[in-house]
Structure formats: C-alpha cells, structure tokens
Amino acid sequence: LSCPGGDVGLVVGRRKIRGDGSQRRHSLERRELRHRLHQAVASRLSSSGSDTIRVMDLMGAPHRSQPIGVWTPAGGLNITNDRHRRRSGASGANDTADASLRLGNGTVIRVVSILNEPFVMLREGSENASDFRQRYHGFCIDLAEMVFAKLGVDWQLHLVEDGKYGAQEPSPDGSGELEWNGMMGEVIRGKADVAIASLTITSERSEYVLFSEPFMNFGLSVIIKKPQKTKPGMFSFMQPLEHQLWVAILMATMILAAVMALLARVSPLEWNLQDQPPPDQQRQRASGPGCSVEVDRYGRSQPTQRPLLRHQPVQTAERNFSLVNSLWFSFASFVQQGIDISPRSASTRIIGSCWWAFSLIIMAYYTANLTACLTIERLIAPIESVSDLANDAKGVKFGTLNSGSTKEFFRRSEEPTYKKMFELMERDKSVYTNSLAEGIDRVIRSDGKYAFILESKTNIYTNNRKPCVTMMVGQEFSLKGYGIAISQERHELRERINEAVLQLRESQDLDRKYKEWWIEKGECPEDGSPKLQPLAIGNLLGVFGILIAGLLLAMLTALLEFCCSSRGGFGVGDGGSRL
C-alpha cells in the first residue's frame, strides 16, 4: 500500500485454493486478510489525512513494484491492472472509452529506436534537419507512421543514447543489482513510451516491458565474405565424381578382373584347344622338286638328298580370360568400347552383364555433370553451416553483438552445438562487436577468416547492398520475432497497437514494405543461372597429360619387350631366321 505520507507493507502468504472440502478454512483466511487490511488502511488514513491509497504489485518483475489500482473510502478497491498488465473493468466498452480518452487529440507517444539498416537509417544530407521525419527513414519509420495513424496520435522519435538494444548489466553504483541498458532501459525508466526497432521478443524482456504482436519473423544466421569464384582447373574433368568414388571405381575394376579370371579358369567353356607348330629345330628343312635344302644355324643353305621330315602339330589348351585380358575387358567395358573377346560360360556372362550395367550408370552420371565442371565457375565457401563453426573448421573465427538477444540465446542454450559455440566466443572476447555495422565491416575486411552471427533479415539486406561481397551460409536457426516494446506504465497502448499490427499484416501492408526495403531497393544484381563459358586449353590440360603419359608408357613397354625378345630369341617368318 502506498500513501502520500509513506508506505505500509502487508505480507500475505499466497495459497492455491482447491476444491478439496477446505472451503471453511479458506473463508477464515480471507476474513482475516480483510480485517488486517482494514486495520492498516485506517491507520494510514488517520496519519496521512489522504483518502486515496495506491495498490502496488510486489510480486511482479524483480526489483520493481508496479501500481495495479487504487482504494478510496467511497469507491473501495479498484484494480485497473492485473499482474499481467491487462486492463480490467466492468465492461469492454468502458475500457475502450477510457483508452480513447487517454489517446485523444494532443497525445504524443515518445518512441526510441536505434540505427540499423534498413529498419532505421539516417537520410543523406539531413544532419541539420530539425524534424525527425526528415532525418530518418526506413522500415520501422514507415511502420510507426502506419501504426500511430491508426491510433490517431502523434509521435516523436529519438535514438537510444548508448546505441544498444538492451541487456542486463551490473549497476554502475556498485550495488550489485542488474540494470537494463539500451532501448530496454529507456522504456523501463520512462524515458520512452515505446521502442520500435529490430528488437527481439524474449521471455526475459517480457518480464519488464509489454510486447506487441510480432510484426516480422526471422531467425539467426551466419554472414561471411564471398569467396572468389574458382575457375575449372586442369583436372576439372575429375570433379564430377569425388576422389573416394574414383578410388572405389578403380578397386572395382581390379576386383572384377580377378573374379573374371578365376571364373574363366574354373569353367570348362572358357578353355580352347589351339594347334601349335612344332618346336624350333637346330636344322630346318624346306621341300623342293626332287631334293631338299638344309639350312644351318648361320642361315647358309646346303643341298642334300635326305628326305624331308614332317612334324605333327601340337595341341595346347588356352583360355581367353587370363588376368591381363580380364583387366583389358573390364577397362574397355567401362569406357564403352568394344573388345575382341567375350565371355562364353554362364558365370562369366552374368558378371560381365552386371559390370556393363554398372559402367553404363556411372558414365551417364559422369557425362551429365562433366559440362558444368568444365565450364562453370563455382563459389567454394570455407564453411557450410553453423556446425562447421562449432567444429572450428578451417580456423574461421565467429562472433556476435556484445549486448543483445543473440548473445543471450547462445548463453542460455542447452544445445551442445550452440553451447560449444558460446564457450569458444567466451575464450576470445575480441570476437564480440558493439554494433552490427562493426561486425559486418569486420566480415568484409577479414577475407573469409571471420563470420558474424546476426538476424537473417539484416543478413539478407546486407547481402543485397554494395559492395555485394557478403553471403549467408547455411539455414536459419532459432526462429523468433520482432515486436514493439511498450512501457508497463502505458499498458493502454498494447491492445491498440496489437490491433493495428494485425490489421497491417492482414492487409499485406507489412509484406509490401518488406519487398520495398529488402528487394526493390537492392543494389546487387541477382545471381541468375550460371552462364556456360567456352572451354579453354587450361580446362583440358589434365586430359592431354594423361594422353602424353600413356604414350610414354607405351614406348617404355615396347622397349622392354624388345630387350626381352632379344635375349630369349624368337623365330620370324617361314624361313625361321633368328633375330
């Protein structure tokens, strides 16, 4: 209870009344409470001489007592607000009339905001303008104009003194109590009636101010500097498939050749009988009319009258699918080329058919992606999601605003990924920034070594503004909403502002304003479908390298074969001359 002559406190325990047969006990408690209250009121009235007592809520927000009604001898107790700051009265018509009376002509709403593109921005060349409408423009300025036009009141705008959104910090007087800074602090202390900005609705803030319906939904996101486009290199023909897949294909080719050779050795249908000439003799005979000619080991012929010896051919068993031939079969089939041998047994035909189907699918996928890999420049970002930041991928540092709801989200989160990110930021507090502009400027200057976490709407707007060197990475997370913060002392504004916001959402006015400030006023050209570039010699250097390597390998193999044959020797032609 609060009186002009001082305050009197009345502590009453709160108990929940249940329908369990204890109505009499609760009735006695209520009767005792009324008796104690009347005694305290009579004592205060007799000492102060006033006939009005204010009723305060001491169980609301911490460290704050809020007026919720008055008591007079004539009218009794009149509760105008419950503990949730909702208007109460005899009828809704009386509330509307009372609100209309307080919001009549001449009412001026004090609005606090903060510079943040495109919500509130300073007009160019308007530093000396006296009217705030001539100095500032942006989405929130248009929102305030539409909302207060529906309320039929005037409004005045000023920027927050410390340039912060609002967070609790220790009191500067050293008392140890926490105080709100930024826009939240100005609204709570009565320097402003409402705060219209990109102010996030949180449960902690809702204990101290009233929030309207969200006028815009968003999520947290990561912004980094755009990497340079990577041009196709000399081995870009290998990019359609990952390196692990290339290794898997090579292993499959070798395994198929080994299995094919094994099945061909086991299956009798893969064996052939071949007629082989007789072994080379020390002396070779050639037939002639009535005589024979003998050729000695030096190639000199001598006539002789001895009869010509005729040797019977030798039959040997051979198979086409040796290990070398099987390797040739698997490779030629994979590159869709024909070969001069084919499987004949059922087992080798089955495995050969499966290999053909496998090769067809792999080559179809490869050729479908080959053009894009050879001709399109791609952006390769150092990180792809928030998880990469938590895992300290490629040493990219990250931070957020030093005071605001984003930092509080990471501090309070129980998610392991976000909890780990907060621990990393706390180890190096230099990653925090005092303003969004400072964080974005640091991202641009970091050359991909620093990422900034901010609201997705600001991220999208920044990416569409010059110098067009930033981009959003990954998906949004922690979906929230922006709302209008209303002082608890001006609780009558809440219902009217909520009604106005809902009407603007239903009429699509907020959507049109979003398109105007985020899309239509964008300064960066839209990234359309990537254009194909003509192939250059640099794109196919790897292919030419493979061809040259194959030629050198073939020449080396031929040299080795020649050396081996020279040492062992083999016959050529019908004459059987030795090389």
Side-chain angles (χ1 to χ4, degrees):
L1 301 178
S2 176
C3 300
D7 295 339
V8 59
L10 182 61
V11 180
V12 180
R14 293 191 175 186
R15 297 182 181 178
K16 185 179 295 185
I17 299 177
R18 300 184 302 270
D20 56 357
S22 58
Q23 291 88 349
R24 182 176 181 182
R25 184 181 73 250
H26 295 305
S27 177
L28 294 175
E29 290 178 353
R30 288 194 297 269
R31 192 177 308 163
E32 180 184 0
L33 173 61
R34 286 196 300 269
H35 178 69
R36 293 174 59 188
L37 180 60
H38 281 292
Q39 287 182 342
V41 170
S43 174
R44 181 56 56 188
L45 288 177
S46 62
S47 61
S48 64
S50 174
D51 60 351
T52 301
I53 297 179
R54 287 187 298 165
V55 181
M56 310 293 292
D57 180 12
L58 302 181
M59 303 297 293
H63 311 296
R64 299 198 63 209
S65 58
Q66 298 295 328
I68 62 172
V70 295
W71 184 93
T72 59
L77 183 62
N78 181 20
I79 301 296
T80 58
N81 264 347
D82 64 9
R83 63 187 306 266
H84 298 286
R85 304 299 176 262
R86 293 187 294 250
R87 291 287 295 166
S88 62
S91 64
N94 294 335
D95 290 341
T96 304
D98 186 57
S100 300
L101 179 61
R102 280 190 290 271
L103 299 181
N105 295 332
T107 302
V108 178
I109 305 299
R110 297 169 300 167
V111 180
V112 62
S113 189
I114 188 172
L115 290 178
N116 179 23
E117 298 181 358
F119 295 94
V120 178
M121 299 177 291
L122 185 65
R123 294 182 186 270
E124 295 183 1
S126 62
E127 291 80 3
N128 299 326
S130 58
D131 187 5
F132 69 91
R133 291 181 176 86
Q134 298 177 357
R135 296 192 62 187
Y136 306 110
H137 68 131
F139 178 84
C140 285
I141 303 298
D142 295 342
L143 172 64
E145 288 283 7
M146 294 185 294
V147 169
F148 293 127
K150 290 184 175 295
L151 268 62
V153 297
D154 196 6
W155 61 290
Q156 291 288 337
L157 175 71
H158 70 273
L159 298 181
V160 61
E161 294 179 358
D162 58 5
K164 297 180 179 179
Y165 285 83
Q168 287 184 312
E169 60 181 8
S171 175
D173 57 8
S175 61
E177 295 185 357
L178 297 178
E179 290 186 357
W180 284 91
N181 59 15
M183 292 184 292
M184 285 288 300
E186 292 198 9
V187 173
I188 293 173
R189 290 187 292 270
K191 292 184 178 180
D193 298 320
V194 297
I196 301 181
S198 53
L199 187 63
T200 305
I201 302 174
T202 64
S203 59
E204 184 181 17
R205 288 173 175 172
S206 299
E207 295 180 2
Y208 297 87
V209 298
L210 305 176
F211 275 106
S212 68
E213 291 288 332
F215 60 84
M216 182 179 292
N217 296 318
F218 70 96
L220 298 181
S221 61
V222 180
I223 185 173
I224 64 170
K225 186 177 181 180
K226 280 184 180 179
Q228 296 294 331
K229 289 186 177 181
T230 303
K231 295 183 178 180
M234 60 181 298
F235 292 104
S236 56
F237 66 92
M238 299 185 65
Q239 292 180 355
L241 305 179
E242 293 184 353
H243 300 303
Q244 295 87 345
L245 186 55
W246 283 113
V247 175
I249 292 175
L250 179 61
M251 295 297 297
T253 303
M254 299 176 64
I255 293 175
L256 174 85
V259 173
M260 181 73 76
L262 178 62
L263 294 179
R265 184 178 182 86
V266 173
S267 177
L269 296 179
E270 297 295 341
W271 291 86
N272 297 323
L273 293 177
Q274 299 289 340
D275 292 335
Q276 298 291 340
D280 293 340
Q281 301 294 329
Q282 183 70 19
R283 295 180 300 175
Q284 301 179 0
R285 297 187 177 96
S287 62
C291 65
S292 62
V293 178
E294 184 175 321
V295 181
D296 61 11
R297 64 177 182 174
Y298 299 104
R300 294 174 296 185
S301 59
Q302 297 179 356
T304 178
Q305 297 298 325
R306 287 179 296 179
L308 181 66
L309 298 176
R310 299 181 181 274
H311 299 275
Q312 297 296 328
V314 179
Q315 288 187 339
T316 58
E318 294 182 352
R319 52 190 173 89
N320 291 331
F321 285 96
S322 61
L323 182 60
V324 175
N325 288 346
S326 298
L327 282 172
W328 174 249
F329 172 83
S330 60
F331 177 76
S333 300
F334 183 77
V335 295
Q336 310 297 314
Q337 298 297 319
I339 53 177
D340 54 353
I341 58 175
S342 59
R344 293 187 298 175
S345 66
S347 59
T348 53
R349 286 183 177 181
I350 291 175
I351 191 173
S353 301
C354 295
W355 178 251
W356 289 336
F358 171 82
S359 304
L360 179 63
I361 296 174
I362 295 295
M363 292 304 297
Y365 177 84
Y366 175 81
T367 53
N369 292 274
L370 180 61
T371 303
C373 294
L374 290 177
T375 59
I376 296 178
E377 297 179 349
R378 299 185 300 169
L379 290 176
I380 302 178
I383 57 174
E384 296 181 356
S385 64
V386 179
S387 301
D388 293 340
L389 293 177
N391 297 329
D392 196 19
K394 298 185 179 180
V396 178
K397 293 184 177 181
F398 58 94
T400 184
L401 278 178
N402 193 23
S403 176
S405 60
T406 303
K407 182 179 178 181
E408 286 298 311
F409 163 75
F410 285 102
R411 185 177 67 87
R412 294 173 175 269
S413 178
E414 297 296 332
E415 183 72 21
T417 300
Y418 304 143
K419 194 173 183 179
K420 182 178 179 181
M421 292 175 65
F422 180 73
E423 294 175 355
L424 292 175
M425 289 188 291
E426 285 293 304
R427 293 177 187 174
D428 183 11
K429 294 189 177 182
S430 63
V431 299
Y432 295 120
T433 62
N434 295 323
S435 65
L436 290 174
E438 180 184 348
I440 295 173
D441 182 67
R442 185 171 178 179
V443 168
I444 296 175
R445 293 185 287 104
S446 66
D447 196 20
K449 296 300 181 180
Y450 178 79
F452 191 67
I453 303 174
L454 72 171
E455 287 86 354
S456 58
K457 300 301 181 182
T458 305
N459 196 339
I460 296 173
Y461 177 80
T462 303
N463 298 335
N464 290 327
R465 308 294 292 182
K466 292 181 179 179
C468 307
V469 295
T470 57
M471 61 180 292
M472 184 169 67
V473 176
Q475 301 293 328
E476 300 178 7
F477 60 97
S478 179
L479 299 180
K480 299 180 181 180
Y482 294 133
I484 301 176
I486 307 168
S487 173
Q488 293 183 347
E489 304 294 338
R490 301 302 302 269
H491 53 79
E492 70 275 0
L493 293 174
R494 185 181 188 182
E495 293 183 4
R496 301 287 302 278
I497 292 177
N498 279 340
E499 182 180 355
V501 171
L502 292 175
Q503 290 177 359
L504 292 175
R505 288 170 56 180
E506 293 174 356
S507 61
Q508 303 297 316
D509 289 335
L510 293 181
D511 292 338
R512 283 191 290 269
K513 287 298 179 181
Y514 174 80
K515 293 179 181 179
E516 175 184 349
W517 288 102
W518 268 264
I519 300 175
E520 296 176 1
K521 294 186 178 182
E523 299 175 349
C524 299
E526 295 184 2
D527 294 334
S529 58
K531 297 180 180 179
L532 299 180
Q533 301 293 335
L535 283 177
I537 185 65
N539 303 121
L540 298 177
L541 281 179
V543 180
F544 284 100
I546 293 178
L547 178 60
I548 295 174
L551 293 175
L552 295 177
L553 181 61
M555 296 176 63
L556 179 61
T557 304
L559 180 61
L560 293 176
E561 289 179 349
F562 178 79
C563 294
C564 293
S565 63
S566 298
R567 291 182 179 180
F570 58 90
V572 178
D574 294 336
S577 60
R578 181 184 295 267
L579 294 178

